[in-house]
Amino acid sequence: EVQLVESGGGLVKPGGSLRLSCTASGFTFSSYGMHWVRQAPGKGLEWVSSIIPSSTFIYYADSVRGRFTISRDNTKSSLYLQMSSLRAEDTAVYYCARVRERGFAELDFWGQGTLVTVSS
Amino acid sequence: EIVLTQSPGTLSLSPGERATLSCRASRSVSSNYLAWYQHKPGQAPRLLVYGASSRAAGVPDRFSGSGSGTDFTLTISRLEPEDFAVYYCQQYGTSPFTFGPGTKVDIK
């Protein structure tokens, strides 16, 4: 069974940093592209970042470029999102999601999300 | 970036009715890489359609996607009680892989 479990969320002050993790199981993690998507309270889904299996190609939304860094460790079946210079508008539930097998960037499995709250 | 507009914002229908959701892109979506997701409160989003018209694994055939270029549609032929949710389109042909604002389908 495919499982994605996010962790690392919490309360952080503006300007602070946080590292999210996503632990995968039930599939060959090293073969799949992975994404982060977030949802601010009462708002819609917002794509954040993506990384291909080899980590060669990485993409970011304009709203986080230069502040967030996506990475992965295929030996640990884990995806990460290092977030720095956090702002109130980064407050959201952060989901990790897997690209569909043989897909391009459509996301067929998602975790349950981890809440990040940026507040003083 | 490609901006997606979804209409209507809210669709109030009864079980058994047909739902037609629209997604319009500010410019052509590369290779028609357009997906539809269903999202319920407290749950993970669920992929319904990819490539504009291909149903994802395990998705009932009452869900169908159509369209190309800048205009796309998700149709739910007969609403079941479990279909009341928010639906998002997403283009994934050009980074940033933007989502639309969503259409809420609620019970009339």
Side-chain angles (χ1 to χ4, degrees):
Chain A
E1 180 192 3
V2 172
Q3 284 199 320
L4 297 169
V5 179
E6 302 93 339
S7 60
L11 175 63
V12 60
K13 289 181 168 55
S17 298
L18 208 58
R19 188 197 197 203
L20 305 184
S21 299
C22 170
T23 303
S25 60
F27 65 101
T28 305
F29 180 77
S30 59
S31 297
Y32 289 79
M34 297 294 296
H35 292 226
W36 288 99
V37 175
R38 67 184 181 184
Q39 183 177 35
K43 304 293 185 181
L45 299 176
E46 180 187 12
W47 177 80
V48 174
S49 183
S50 65
I51 185 169
I52 70 168
S54 67
S55 301
T56 304
F57 291 101
I58 285 173
Y59 302 96
Y60 295 101
D62 291 344
S63 58
V64 306
R65 187 177 292 112
R67 300 186 301 121
F68 290 12
T69 301
I70 191 172
S71 63
R72 62 191 295 161
D73 185 336
N74 289 339
T75 66
K76 296 181 178 178
S77 296
S78 292
L79 176 73
Y80 306 102
L81 188 67
Q82 178 68 47
M83 304 185 296
S84 61
S85 302
L86 283 162
R87 307 165 179 167
E89 54 265 35
D90 296 317
T91 294
V93 173
Y94 284 75
Y95 297 97
C96 68
R98 185 190 85 165
V99 174
R100 188 184 65 89
E101 185 177 15
R102 292 187 294 277
F104 188 71
E106 60 272 41
L107 306 172
D108 68 344
F109 279 97
W110 298 58
Q112 289 298 313
T114 186
L115 176 63
V116 172
T117 303
V118 184
S119 174
S120 55
Chain B
E1 76 177 42
I2 295 177
V3 177
L4 299 180
T5 303
Q6 291 187 243
S7 61
T10 301
L11 198 51
S12 297
L13 295 168
S14 301
E17 289 192 294
R18 181 185 187 90
T20 303
L21 287 65
S22 174
C23 176
R24 180 162 291 179
S26 60
R27 65 175 192 268
S28 186
V29 175
S30 176
S31 301
N32 291 326
Y33 282 157
L34 191 288
W36 290 93
Y37 298 89
Q38 177 191 69
H39 195 197
K40 298 179 182 179
Q43 296 187 18
R46 176 192 183 194
L47 176 66
L48 299 175
V49 170
Y50 62 93
S53 60
S54 297
R55 251 188 314 274
V59 174
D61 61 8
R62 64 180 181 273
F63 292 92
S64 63
S66 63
S68 64
T70 60
D71 288 293
F72 301 89
T73 301
L74 176 71
T75 301
I76 310 171
S77 59
R78 286 178 56 86
L79 282 164
E80 297 288 341
E82 62 268 28
D83 298 337
F84 292 93
V86 180
Y87 293 82
Y88 296 93
C89 59
Q90 184 203 22
Q91 69 79 23
Y92 56 96
T94 306
S95 179
F97 303 134
T98 46
F99 284 90
T103 291
K104 183 178 182 180
V105 179
D106 65 15
I107 299 177
K108 188 174 182 179

